[in-house]
Amino acid sequence: MSDFQPEEIKLINDQFDDLLNYYKAVNPNGNIAIVQKAFQLAYQAHDGMRRRSGEPYIMHPIAVAEIVAKEIGLGATSISASLLHDVVEDTEYTIEEMEQMFNPKIASIVDGLTKIAGATTFKSDSIQAENFRKLLLTMSDDIRVILIKIADRLHNMRTLGSMPPHKQYKIAAETLFVYAPLSHRLGLYNIKSELEDLAFKYEHPATYADLASKISHSEEERDELFRQFTKPIEERLKILDFNFTIKKRIKSVYSIWKKMQQKDIPFEEVFDLMATRIVFEPKTYLDEKVQCWNIYSAITSIYRPKPDRIRDWISVPKANGYEALHMTVMGPKGRWFEVQIRSQRMDEIAEKGYAAHWKYKSGPDSNETELERWLKTIRELLETPESNAIEFMNDFKLNLFSQEIMVFTPKGEMKVLPQGATALDFAFEIHTELGLQCIGAKVNHNLVPLSHKLKSGDQVEIITSSKQKPQEEWLSFVTTARAKSKIKGIFKNERKKFIKAGEKRLEEKLNKLKLTTNSRILKKLEAYFDVETREELMYNIGRENIEIDNLQDILREKTQSKIVKYWRLQFGNKKNKQTPEKKQDSQPISKRKSIQLTDDKSDIDYTVATCCNPIPGDDVIGYVDENDNVVLHKRQCEKAIKLMSNYGNQIVDATWISHKLHSFLSIIKINGIDKQGMLSQISKVISEDQDVNMREVHFGSHDGVFEGIIHLYVHNVEDVNNLIFKIVKIKGITNVQRVEQSQLSQK
């Protein structure tokens, strides 16, 4: 007897029937029985369980299985594992029972999808990163683990509205940091775009709503332009006897916002909102590539192409298997149009990624693709994994580059590397020994150092020496995970020796002071020498990078400050004793779900992160460190996204309350026509503003235009916006915007 209501049981059965009917239609000879058996077990195991939204929990695994079947195109084993993916984690069933009831493959996939149980240490480890590493370990044997996990994440993002804000930020950041780029790398473009949009929607709801509204309002104009643009193309392709479809693709909200940020432009200046996609049924007697170029030729006989915007991914597919011919042409009303040309096979690979790529693989003798080479690299990375899960995640992220370059060996063999890769990365890409013995390289016949960054089309010859030994400084400039993991592997044993030497040296120094090593002393030393972990401290002591001859002074100085702090806490506030605060106020910050930021810092003492300099009015999150101190970041800050994706339990939702006492640093950038008196006019506007003070001014002009960077102290976002509104009114000013220090550093 089920614990669900009759209408809920009907809904569950209808949803599963829809999934089963779809699978039967696309796989008439598929293993229907095992899918039905998996559903029955999942239904029984999750009976009575509900999601936070209140719906029966079994609806979630069914939805994940639907994504796996319909949007990724996987088969019975994956659908069954999707239906069972939470059974072991949330119920009494074990992996061994899964193996007995189903088969070792399904059990192995379910095991890979089951989170690690138990807690983790506060700072050096991250349970989120550990869980992801476990996923990858299983993925190295079976790619279906990560594909199902992506489907699981997509459904969780689609239903994220029922979660509290601090959970939404953590999950959204983790999605942007790992799952969206991973989906892209596996060729799941539609899923990648939806994950990015959903994450953006929860991190910046107001901005998302504004952009979505603007896209919607311009839809009628876009449809008319699309009709005008495609009509002559359709006529020409019909004359050439092509069987084809033409679709329009609208740029995602997140990618529009990202372009606005990167190019410093408003929405109205994003001209490539829409792309035209031509998908054709290839003629059997002619090569697909030739037919793509025939369509290209037909279009360029109607519209003039932009030469620097031709992308030939049919001759050299992307590393994730993507094939297409892209071009940009000048269309009606002086608008640029991007056109994507694909065969039906190319389109299916683009839509369903790895699963479709494998379907079209011609057999065991076919050439190894870039996607398979990437998976091989991941397996190599897992062979010598970082002991620290966060470091491992950082190395793995290096393999998720979407921008790639094509580089050639002296014999003309092509290698695909991430943009920014160096000559040393190239050496490790060829062979580990070649990388370890590399002393230099010739790029296009010119001698270059190991750190030389390669460009697409470079021909590279590696120079080696048997006397060469790996250098630690190599880690500062290599960019590929393969190179980093191989270099780190060499230094692991050596590092252990230095750590032991450091422990011995510190112990000897402490013995002379009649002290023993304990966590209190180690924390003082870590803080004094500004190192993150005990391992790093011991390593630097062992290498004599850190001098501890004055150990007694270091410990005394820290101890005194602690005593003073203790004295003030115990005796300094007796006269001003306050009435007891609310219970929540006495709670450690790390246990709270949200905090309010006021002018009075007596309740919550927070600091502003220098990487993004948030000010009152910005969307912010708080990261709570091990001392219960709060560091504020903008939600879109890259460092904040990384913290939320790795340390979700230490993130609190932060809300600004009115601020008029404290001032915060903000930076604005001004562009305009260089003319006499311009700086004076800008300075006058700022000096007359009662809520703003200038700290630094940097102006430079070139060929009749200028750029100015002004550092200001303001109370909140409203002050900045008001000032920008006043400055932009000055004749000759073309653009004024708020920027971050990190954006200036990149330039």
Side-chain angles (χ1 to χ4, degrees), residues 357-358 361 363-377 379 413 415 429:
H357 148 84
W358 196 255
K361 191 171 167 62
D365 297 327
S366 59
N367 293 330
E368 184 181 51
T369 65
E370 287 300 329
L371 184 57
E372 288 164 311
R373 290 191 192 107
W374 176 73
L375 290 169
K376 189 186 288 184
T377 304
R379 291 185 186 106
E413 184 186 349
K415 296 291 178 183
E429 185 68 20

Side-chain angles (χ1 to χ4, degrees), residues 554-566:
I554 295 169
L555 296 177
R556 184 186 294 122
E557 178 188 332
K558 292 289 177 180
T559 304
Q560 284 176 344
S561 66
K562 284 282 187 183
I563 291 171
V564 170
K565 188 175 180 183
Y566 174 79

Side-chain angles (χ1 to χ4, degrees), residues 249-262:
R249 179 192 64 83
I250 306 302
K251 209 176 186 72
S252 68
V253 176
Y254 177 78
S255 59
I256 291 170
W257 176 78
K258 202 168 181 184
K259 186 157 193 175
M260 289 166 60
Q261 300 298 307
Q262 290 170 343

Side-chain angles (χ1 to χ4, degrees), residues 120-123 125-131 153 163-175 177 203 390 393 589-594 621-625 639-654:
T120 183
T121 57
F122 188 90
K123 192 168 183 180
D125 295 324
S126 160
I127 200 71
Q128 288 164 272
E130 288 288 2
N131 278 318
R153 175 52 55 107
M163 301 293 282
H166 70 288
K167 290 276 189 187
Q168 289 176 352
Y169 302 147
K170 170 209 156 188
I171 295 168
E174 190 179 62
T175 300
F177 187 67
E203 288 199 331
I390 301 297
M393 279 290 291
I589 297 170
S590 56
K591 300 296 181 187
R592 302 190 198 178
K593 293 180 180 177
S594 62
I621 58 100
Y623 169 69
V624 186
D625 65 18
K639 190 169 182 182
I641 290 171
K642 195 171 177 180
L643 288 169
M644 286 189 280
S645 64
N646 286 318
Y647 298 110
N649 293 334
Q650 292 154 240
I651 299 298
V652 291
D653 181 23

